[in-house]
Amino acid sequence: MTKIITITILFICSLMSAQNVKLTVAVSGIKNNTGVVKVGLYNSDGTFLKTTYKSLASEIKNNKAVVTFENLPAGEYAISTYHDENNNGKLDRNAMGIPSEDYAASNNAKGFMGPPSYKDAKFDVSKDSKIEIVF
């Protein structure tokens, strides 16, 4: 009986871990190799551009950067990324509040008179995937 329970638990755990995916984000079109690229991953409309679910930074080589999010539950996500050119850890803005460093979102989502919406940037991940974002 103990063996059956152990095998059942191991089987359930293997099914749960099989649902985790890897998401690679390739960013190109970066104007120089100075600073880093910050990539924020969001998993809900309510937190989009406010609180990241996960975030990573990458060095820039040949005007490109790549980050990989590991062990993500399959589901719906959106990406926001920016070129932290002066490496100060934030997206710099001018006096009017408009970003002065390059930024982009998944699905090439653009905002009208403001940032892009989660609805426009969201995508589904059900298996290991790669998305490309161009500044």
Side-chain angles (χ1 to χ4, degrees):
M1 186 66 167
T2 305
K3 286 183 181 180
I4 292 173
I5 292 172
T6 304
I7 290 171
T8 303
I9 290 172
L10 289 173
F11 178 72
I12 291 171
C13 288
S14 70
L15 284 177
M16 290 172 62
S17 67
Q19 293 175 2
N20 285 342
V21 296
K22 178 170 62 170
L23 174 64
T24 301
V25 180
V27 181
S28 61
I30 304 167
K31 65 182 174 187
N32 60 51
N33 294 320
T34 305
V36 296
V37 168
K38 302 272 188 154
V39 180
L41 181 68
Y42 302 87
N43 62 353
S44 74
D45 187 14
T47 62
F48 186 58
L49 302 178
K50 295 176 187 99
T51 306
T52 57
Y53 171 63
K54 293 187 180 216
S55 63
L56 294 171
S58 174
E59 292 180 339
I60 304 164
K61 294 181 182 171
N62 299 319
N63 303 81
K64 296 178 183 176
V66 177
V67 299
T68 301
F69 293 96
E70 307 259 357
N71 296 318
L72 292 175
E76 184 179 271
Y77 297 97
I79 296 281
S80 173
T81 182
Y82 71 96
H83 180 190
D84 188 4
E85 195 168 358
N86 59 3
N87 214 9
N88 67 351
K90 63 181 183 176
L91 176 62
D92 293 331
R93 299 172 186 275
N94 66 20
M96 297 195 43
I98 298 169
S100 57
E101 293 177 308
D102 289 338
Y103 66 95
S106 45
N107 295 333
N108 197 28
K110 305 278 186 214
F112 177 73
M113 302 293 287
S117 70
Y118 180 79
K119 178 181 68 110
D120 292 337
K122 70 181 179 177
F123 57 93
D124 288 314
V125 178
S126 59
K127 60 182 180 176
D128 289 355
S129 303
K130 180 178 181 177
I131 65 167
E132 297 191 21
I133 297 176
V134 179
F135 282 146

